[in-house]
Amino acid sequence: MLRTDDHSRDSAGLRYVYPVISRRAGGVSVGINLNPNNACNWACVYCQVEGLTRGGPPPIDLDLLEQELSGFLEAVLHGDFMQRCVPLEAQRLMDIAFSGNGEPTSSPEFPGAVARVARVLSNFSLNLPPRLITNGSLLHRSDVQSGIRHLGSLGGEVWFKLDRAGADEIQEINGVPGAPEKISRALETCAGLARTWVQTCWFALDGDPPSAGSVDAYCLLLRPLAHQLAGVHLYGLARPSMQAAASRLTALPEPDMQLFARRIEIETGLKVIVSP
């Protein structure tokens, strides 16, 4: 049975396609993994990918991806996959999500993969939103923008990672040089291409919750962009980190999460959905 605390990429025995139960999507999400080599251009301390390395993905076999997605959707829609593998309360097909074991937009085949997903959805006459879960670091690339624009035209949306907004904290949490201005520009670009949510992982590090300064910087970055954004997905540590810093991380109590959510709403006017 699939579980919310286990997002194994090989649960269906396929190379690119994997099902998960997503707390934030609210049911079964069909994942598209464009980084099967476990390589990413970021190194977030909370990442659940075992054996994560720095780098980009291998070439993607788009024909195989399309074949796997078509076969899996056939099993979901016309077979017994839901009954065999999904708890009753989660037996809803919610989306097709570009996520996986690294940054999806780092694949040169990303725009082609969006096109293949669009074709499969059309073949099944499925009105299912495609989603991109991204760190937003490659939004300056024209091919990435093209893929996101196509995704948006399909009624899809982007979940854009923003865990912290201060330069030092970005470096510590995401493992990349902190550049709040660059993140702001990328987020604005993304919101102009497709419906965009901010997704934020909020937790304590070495026993300390994010500081008041961290909260202020976060709200300050989002405030001028709020009118362009759909809202914020604020979530905690549901699955264990597989990184060296795992022992330094602890989940925050739900009241603390709700308090931060309320602060975001007051400061920016954005809707916040909390998944503790």
Side-chain angles (χ1 to χ4, degrees), residues 95-273:
D95 65 14
I96 308 291
F98 289 93
S99 180
N101 290 3
E103 172 51 41
T105 65
S106 64
S107 170
E109 288 85 12
F110 168 66
V114 174
R116 296 301 183 102
V117 168
R119 185 158 70 183
V120 171
L121 290 174
S122 177
N123 290 343
F124 280 89
S125 299
L126 268 178
N127 185 23
L128 202 63
R131 290 188 169 112
L132 167 65
I133 300 175
T134 178
N135 61 33
S137 61
L138 303 175
L139 256 295
H140 59 283
R141 294 184 180 177
S142 60
D143 60 329
V144 172
Q145 293 182 21
S146 174
I148 294 175
R149 185 180 294 109
H150 189 182
L151 184 142
S153 74
L154 299 170
E157 61 186 25
V158 178
W159 292 359
F160 187 110
K161 181 193 298 290
L162 175 65
D163 296 319
R164 303 293 185 273
D168 291 344
E169 287 187 302
I170 294 168
Q171 174 73 60
E172 185 169 39
I173 300 301
N174 302 125
V176 291
E181 299 84 3
K182 181 180 178 181
I183 292 172
S184 180
R185 289 195 301 271
L187 184 54
E188 184 174 22
T189 298
C190 191
L193 299 169
R195 178 177 168 85
T196 299
W197 289 79
V198 170
Q199 63 158 17
T200 299
C201 189
W202 206 242
F203 54 88
L205 186 66
D206 298 325
D208 297 322
S211 67
S214 179
V215 171
D216 290 342
Y218 181 95
C219 293
L220 185 64
L221 189 150
L222 286 188
R223 191 179 300 128
L225 303 173
H227 66 287
Q228 298 175 261
L229 301 171
V232 175
H233 286 287
L234 180 64
Y235 66 104
L237 298 174
R239 303 186 303 279
S241 168
M242 293 296 173
Q243 308 314 309
S247 62
R248 301 176 60 199
L249 316 181
T250 51
L252 292 170
E254 184 172 356
D256 290 9
M257 300 284 286
Q258 295 291 352
L259 188 64
F260 180 44
R262 183 60 182 150
R263 175 72 182 277
I264 296 169
E265 291 173 341
I266 292 171
E267 293 286 341
T268 69
L270 285 165
K271 173 184 180 180
V272 182
I273 297 174

Side-chain angles (χ1 to χ4, degrees), residues 36-40 47-54 101 242-243:
N37 61 342
N38 298 351
C40 188
C47 184
Q48 296 97 25
V49 175
E50 191 171 3
L52 182 72
T53 61
R54 292 277 193 169
N101 290 3
M242 293 296 173
Q243 308 314 309

Side-chain angles (χ1 to χ4, degrees), residues 1-23:
M1 280 285 182
L2 298 180
R3 307 193 313 269
T4 57
D5 61 351
D6 182 5
H7 282 194
S8 174
R9 310 309 194 215
D10 59 1
S11 58
L14 303 172
R15 180 165 177 77
Y16 301 117
V17 174
Y18 63 98
V20 299
I21 298 177
S22 169
R23 293 182 299 155

